[in-house]
Amino acid sequence: MDCEFVQFEKDENVGILTINRPKALNALNIQLMDELDATLDNIAADAEIYALIITGVGKGFMAGADIATMKPMDYEQGKAYGIKGCALFQKIEDLDIPVIAAVNGFALGGGNELMLSCDVAIASEKAKFGQPEVGLGITPGFAGTQRLPRIVGPRVAKELIYSGRVFGAAEAEKIGLINKVVPPEELMETAKSMARSFAKMAPFAVKYAKKAINEGLQTDIDHAVKIENDYFGKCFSTNDQEEGMGAFLEKRKATFTNK
Ligand code: DAK
């Protein structure tokens, strides 16, 4: 698929997906959703990509779902739109590789929800966050009512969602919404450096750790520990487990092969 609003490049084993609809602050219209969906499928099928960075062009990371697209919708259309957006962001959460949001600017509504579906987030000092939907007469619709409380806790999430207020990167870091704030000019290098630090580890181990965390968070602790037991056991069927432990014992650097 030829993409107008999504750019994708590879830097060794790191994929960089850039949302490029700057005239609308990268607001998520149907075309952008479809382009993101197709690009994510390509990334999932590429065994050479060990980590992904998602960022945006211009002042916006993503200023939300496209308000003009949503304005005329009725109940059925609104519900269908929410289902489509949730499936798209679930695809990001379900990628086998770690995903870093490099938040360059406004991450509002659907943009904040996109960031929430990534594993970790680094933000520029210029970034702004918020779930302003209630001011538009709607609830967050791309799983913000679910992921935000799971990440920052229900009390903080409720205050943010009920007020719809927009807040800066320092507050986002303080409440645990993001991992780190950096000057704008350091954003991409910091994200790449983190991505490389993930990409040099054993890919199966990183993938199974991600699955154990994400699947375990959806269930009770007894079941969650069983999920971990299973992924931990699976690591012992990989060449990289033998290589990682062998390298340690032989006092040399491990060379992982993703096998
Ligand atoms: N949608 C469409 N266009 C947008 C947009 C958006 N979300 N955000 C910005 N734009 C467009 C503006 O209309 C403007 O276009 P032109 O007038 O130049 O044609 C251009 O981007 C530049 O924006 P501004 O001129 O407003 O730029 P400023 O720097 O002055 O202000 C801003 C930046 C981010 C503070 C402001 O643009 C703003 O407040 N934007 C709206 C932010 C927002 O409310 N985002 C949340 C959207 S709602 C659901 C499914 C999904 C959702 C909810 C429910 N269900 C199915 C239940 C998700 C909802 C959302 O994400």
Side-chain angles (χ1 to χ4, degrees), residues 31-188:
Q31 183 184 336
L32 175 52
M33 285 171 122
D34 291 340
E35 291 183 7
L36 278 171
D37 195 62
T39 307
L40 290 168
D41 285 345
N42 290 340
I43 291 166
D46 188 335
E48 306 278 287
I49 301 174
Y50 294 170
L52 175 68
I53 297 170
I54 300 181
T55 192
V57 165
K59 282 199 308 178
F61 175 68
M62 179 179 282
D66 192 294
I67 297 170
T69 304
M70 286 189 289
K71 166 80 174 52
M73 288 181 181
D74 61 15
Y75 168 78
E76 290 299 339
Q77 291 165 323
K79 193 170 172 185
Y81 187 58
I83 291 169
K84 186 176 168 82
C86 285
L88 176 65
F89 290 174
Q90 190 62 45
K91 204 173 254 196
I92 295 172
E93 188 172 296
D94 289 345
L95 280 175
D96 283 347
I97 53 174
V99 184
I100 300 168
V103 185
N104 53 299
F106 291 108
L108 302 179
N112 197 52
E113 290 163 314
L114 166 65
M115 184 274 300
L116 291 167
S117 70
C118 300
D119 294 291
V120 294
I122 300 169
S124 147
E125 287 162 349
K126 289 188 176 169
K128 299 270 183 216
F129 301 84
Q131 296 287 162
E133 287 91 341
V134 292
L136 296 165
I138 55 174
T139 63
F142 293 162
T145 63
Q146 302 310 308
R147 288 201 178 95
L148 187 61
R150 282 167 170 78
I151 289 175
V152 300
R155 286 195 189 279
V156 175
K158 284 176 177 175
E159 186 269 320
L160 294 174
I161 290 173
Y162 299 167
S163 68
R165 73 183 171 84
V166 173
F167 54 96
E171 182 174 349
E173 184 182 28
K174 188 170 154 213
I175 63 175
L177 183 63
I178 61 171
N179 299 73
K180 194 171 183 163
V181 187
V182 295
E185 63 279 8
E186 292 175 21
L187 178 66
M188 285 314 291

Side-chain angles (χ1 to χ4, degrees), residues 1-7 18-23 29 31-32 35 39:
M1 177 184 211
D2 283 339
C3 293
E4 181 183 359
F5 298 140
V6 174
Q7 296 167 350
T18 306
I19 301 159
N20 182 26
R21 196 188 167 214
K23 279 191 191 154
N29 65 5
Q31 183 184 336
L32 175 52
E35 291 183 7
T39 307

